[in-house]
Amino acid sequence: MKHLISQLNRAQQQAATAQLGKILVLAGAGSGKTRVLVHRIAWLINEMCVRPSSIFVVTFTNRAANEMRSRLKEMLKQNLSDMWIGTFHGLSHKLLRLHWQACDLPQDFQIIDFEDQLKMLCCLFRKLGIDEEHYKPRQAQQFINGNKDEGIRAVQLALAKTAFESVMIKVYQHYEQMCNGSGLVDFAELLLGSYELLSQKLDLLEYYREKFAHFLVDEFQDTNIIQYKWLKLLSANARSVTIVGDDDQSIYGWRGARVENIYNFKSEFGKTQVIRLEQNYRSTETILSAANAVIRNNNGRLGKTLWTHTGYGEPIQIYGALNEEDEALFLVHQVMQHRENGVELEDIAVLYRSNAQSRVLEEALLRSGISYSIYGGVRFFERAEIKDILAYLRLSVNTSDDVAFERVINTPPRGVGEKSFQKIRDLSQTLGVSLWDAAHHLLEGRNLSCRACDGVRHFILIIEGLTEKTKGSSLVSLVRDGVQKSGLLAFFQEQKGEKGRSRVENLEELVNATKDFKIDLVDLEYASDILPVTAFLSYSTLHSGGRSLNCTTNGIQLMTIHAAKGLEFPLVFICGAEEGLFPHYLSKEDPLAIEEERRLCYVAITRAMRQLCITYAQERRIFGREEIRQVSRFVLEIPDTLIEEDHRKIRVSMNLPKRMSKSETYKLTDVGDNNKEGALLGRQISHKRFGTGIIVAQEGSGVQARIHVYFDEVGQKCLFMKYVHLETI
DNA sequence: ACCACCTGTTATTAT
DNA sequence: AACAGGTGGT
């Protein structure tokens, strides 16, 4: 152990070996916080004789939890299955599974994702006859989740002051009933439910307080109100609480996260030892200075400045592309060049603000033959065909699951159309029973058309067949059965083209995935009587993040900045650094939101170890229309001295993207002949206000004629020929 | 009931 | 540019 500890720096050692009690570790990006946490746990076990079963570790992502567990296993070489380690949601889920009876939940309750939740709310809006012009289901979703994140139930809400509020409260109430009736639990409910469980069943609370004496929490700046209360409740008698966080990396305010939690920790938890980790081991000085320069523009920080002695390294490269296709082309170009210089593709990451940006980049990469993998986006378990088959499985364990019923009663089409389904819905409402039961009643009542009757009957048989299999057979054979008997496989096989093929492939991939699925993946090994399907279904929604199931991590990696948090790469590209995109236009009104965007930028920059390249497009297609864009303010906050100045070489040598060259009004030819269009390209010119520059593009004709000029001093500008007086040099 | 086609609408970020 | 929802023909 001494040997292990000696590998840490002073501050890290201090944190890892601190005396029991409350410890707040302010850990800057790349300062080795995971390392500290792992060593701290190892220290507790080895030096303080703490039993693993009394340790409780909370992280934010499954990835972080897995990494920590495997690092610990390697370091300690002992069985750690008694230690509770997981995400807030994962651990809450575990509590609910273990104590489902005390929570008044059905044993096979299922977790619903965002999409399911929204569908339920849409359904509810129709049922309650709410005017969808004025009130949107999306707003209700926000309202409900927002309140749940703060630990507030519908009944606890203050009386409505506005019409809007009263509608929302009504929806919230009905939504709760609907979830209870169907045995469904949403993400926020996992936390709220387990919080209420602990605060209401005092014997359980006592038990867990006794059991867990040591708490460790990662990414504390991202906790929301209910997570904070949950933690506080559980750790009231703890002998040690170690929290790690960085207020500069708080990027989940929109999900209810409160940075204040980290500011108030000292006063709330009592005597606290604060340790700062400010030495960065990840990035070059250049990258770090850029990050520091950007984040300095935020107010109310706890304040810390990262330093390193790894040398300056490469300057930060900035590329202002003509449009998003040019940006993608540039990326391809750069990646190829780096590959020639011996950089592994795995060491390259491409980060962007929103998922929609990935498409153009993907297309360019695909054309160039550079392999890549994408993290996030439309994730595997969120694909329509996968959710369809999961809906069959959900019904097979719980026929009250109305969302699942609604999803697949007529997928694939089996003659139960809108009319018939409405009958089922009506009956379910008048009798106050599930859609499934209503369908049963309706069959007896002979109120359906022949075709619909056959369809419903067939559907019921499929589900009942699957239910039989949930007990005896293996998970694989159940899923394989579901894929076939549901008719989904055949349905997709008949679909022509790329779409149908990929859907069939995905179904096959799902079957394969179930082969090596183990219950302990869900961390539920204690809930021994849980059905394998239920465990699998829970896993599928809780771990929906992450790459598609086949873990091909070769090639460059594409992901949103949010998804990149906690990761590091030798070479990082940040794409779409434009006003309106990053910072996002929905954030620009609110100064606090802008600060969060800036923190996001800080996170993005600090992912890079050796080299950073930032790109933006001067024109981008938004809603199909081309819009002129401006470079992100965050880029302007980076000092010039850190930035590579000579962009011209790249710019002029680049081919123009196909969208441009196809267009009639935008022809480009060799430089040299003044009579041809595009002849001015590459010419050096001087402008009385902007100074000297180089012409990089030319478009339009007559009065519309304009040129794009890259000026040495002020960057790229678009100028109308008829207004400017230029001099060629 | 289902399919093909048309039209208006529209988007952060994600456990 | 993509997508949900509506329309009209089979």
Side-chain angles (χ1 to χ4, degrees), chain A residues 373-442:
Chain A
S373 61
I374 202 159
Y375 194 99
V378 187
R379 286 157 300 193
F380 185 75
F381 285 113
E382 285 168 12
R383 308 231 169 127
E385 62 275 20
I386 299 301
K387 290 201 71 175
D388 289 341
I389 188 68
L390 294 179
Y392 278 93
L393 298 178
R394 270 161 62 172
L395 277 171
S396 74
V397 277
N398 170 20
T399 53
S400 319
D401 190 335
D402 285 352
V403 211
F405 185 96
E406 179 155 359
R407 184 177 185 103
V408 290
I409 173 69
N410 204 33
T411 4
R414 52 171 72 84
V416 189
E418 197 44 47
K419 271 258 169 68
S420 310
F421 184 58
Q422 191 56 46
K423 284 184 194 164
I424 300 176
R425 220 172 356 217
D426 288 346
L427 192 64
S428 112
Q429 207 174 346
T430 47
L431 297 181
V433 296
S434 65
L435 292 172
W436 172 266
D437 289 341
H440 267 279
H441 285 297
L442 214 58

Side-chain angles (χ1 to χ4, degrees), chain A residues 18 26 28 57 59 78 99 134 146 157 198 211 335 390 407 427 495 505 527 546 622 634 649 664 684 718:
Chain A
L26 291 173
V57 190
T59 64
Q78 62 172 289
H99 307 290
H134 283 280
L157 278 165
L198 293 170
K211 174 172 165 59
V335 169
L390 294 179
R407 184 177 185 103
L427 192 64
Q495 275 183 3
E505 271 173 19
I622 305 280
F634 303 142
K649 261 184 279 174
E664 276 305 305
Q684 287 219 297
C718 177

Side-chain angles (χ1 to χ4, degrees), chain A residues 10 38 131 141 161 195 278 291 302 351 362 430 491 583 604 614 648 673:
Chain A
R10 250 190 103 92
V38 169
D131 174 17
Q141 190 173 32
K161 285 186 211 71
Y195 174 75
E278 291 181 312
L302 282 179
L351 311 182
E362 269 187 273
T430 47
F491 180 62
I614 302 176
R648 280 170 292 180
D673 188 345

Side-chain angles (χ1 to χ4, degrees), chain A residues 134-153:
Chain A
H134 283 280
Y135 310 104
K136 297 253 160 62
R138 263 232 144 71
Q139 293 176 305
Q141 190 173 32
Q142 263 185 324
F143 181 86
I144 292 169
N145 291 332
N147 276 298
K148 283 194 177 189
D149 281 343
E150 294 186 19
I152 302 167
R153 292 274 179 210

Side-chain angles (χ1 to χ4, degrees), chain A residues 5-18 36 275 277:
Chain A
I5 294 296
S6 70
Q7 293 171 353
L8 303 176
N9 71 27
R10 250 190 103 92
Q12 290 174 333
Q13 283 183 16
Q14 223 185 335
T17 64
V36 164
I275 297 164
L277 304 182

Side-chain angles (χ1 to χ4, degrees), chain A residues 443-463:
Chain A
L443 278 185
E444 288 160 20
R446 299 178 181 282
N447 247 337
L448 285 173
S449 71
C450 255
R451 259 174 99 180
C453 238
D454 287 348
V456 172
R457 204 171 282 128
H458 187 207
F459 180 70
I460 288 177
L461 283 177
I462 295 168
I463 299 297

Side-chain angles (χ1 to χ4, degrees), chain A residues 170-313:
Chain A
K170 189 164 93 181
V171 174
Y172 189 3
Q173 278 167 347
H174 284 265
Y175 171 75
E176 281 182 315
Q177 282 170 15
M178 206 167 166
C179 286
N180 292 337
S182 303
L184 298 174
V185 165
D186 61 44
F187 282 124
E189 183 67 31
L190 289 169
L191 280 150
L192 184 51
S194 61
Y195 174 75
E196 286 172 350
L197 169 74
L198 293 170
S199 52
Q200 283 159 18
K201 312 282 174 197
L202 291 177
D203 49 332
L204 272 179
L205 181 61
E206 271 320 301
Y207 168 78
Y208 282 113
R209 278 182 171 172
E210 197 120 315
K211 174 172 165 59
F212 298 117
H214 305 277
F215 288 78
L216 297 102
V217 188
D218 194 12
E219 312 268 24
F220 195 73
Q221 76 282 354
D222 285 331
T223 51
N224 63 27
I225 291 182
I226 189 69
Q227 287 164 338
Y228 181 84
K229 287 168 83 173
W230 186 88
L231 201 66
K232 192 136 192 267
L233 183 70
L234 213 46
S235 67
N237 301 339
R239 298 186 58 207
S240 82
V241 178
T242 308
I243 71 155
V244 178
D246 178 3
D247 56 331
D248 290 334
Q249 291 189 67
S250 156
I251 55 174
Y252 284 101
W254 51 274
R255 222 168 62 181
R258 300 292 169 109
V259 210
E260 303 91 273
N261 288 345
I262 205 168
Y263 300 144
N264 300 338
F265 183 80
K266 274 167 99 169
S267 56
E268 286 266 319
F269 278 73
K271 192 166 171 272
T272 299
Q273 186 184 355
V274 180
I275 297 164
R276 283 162 189 271
L277 304 182
E278 291 181 312
Q279 181 176 4
N280 172 294
Y281 291 92
R282 181 186 291 156
S283 314
T284 64
E285 258 172 278
T286 301
I287 290 165
L288 220 48
S289 308
N292 283 334
V294 170
I295 200 68
R296 223 186 341 258
N297 295 294
N298 270 6
N299 296 314
R301 302 167 54 216
L302 282 179
K304 78 187 133 16
T305 305
L306 291 177
W307 58 276
T308 182
H309 52 230
T310 48
Y312 286 101

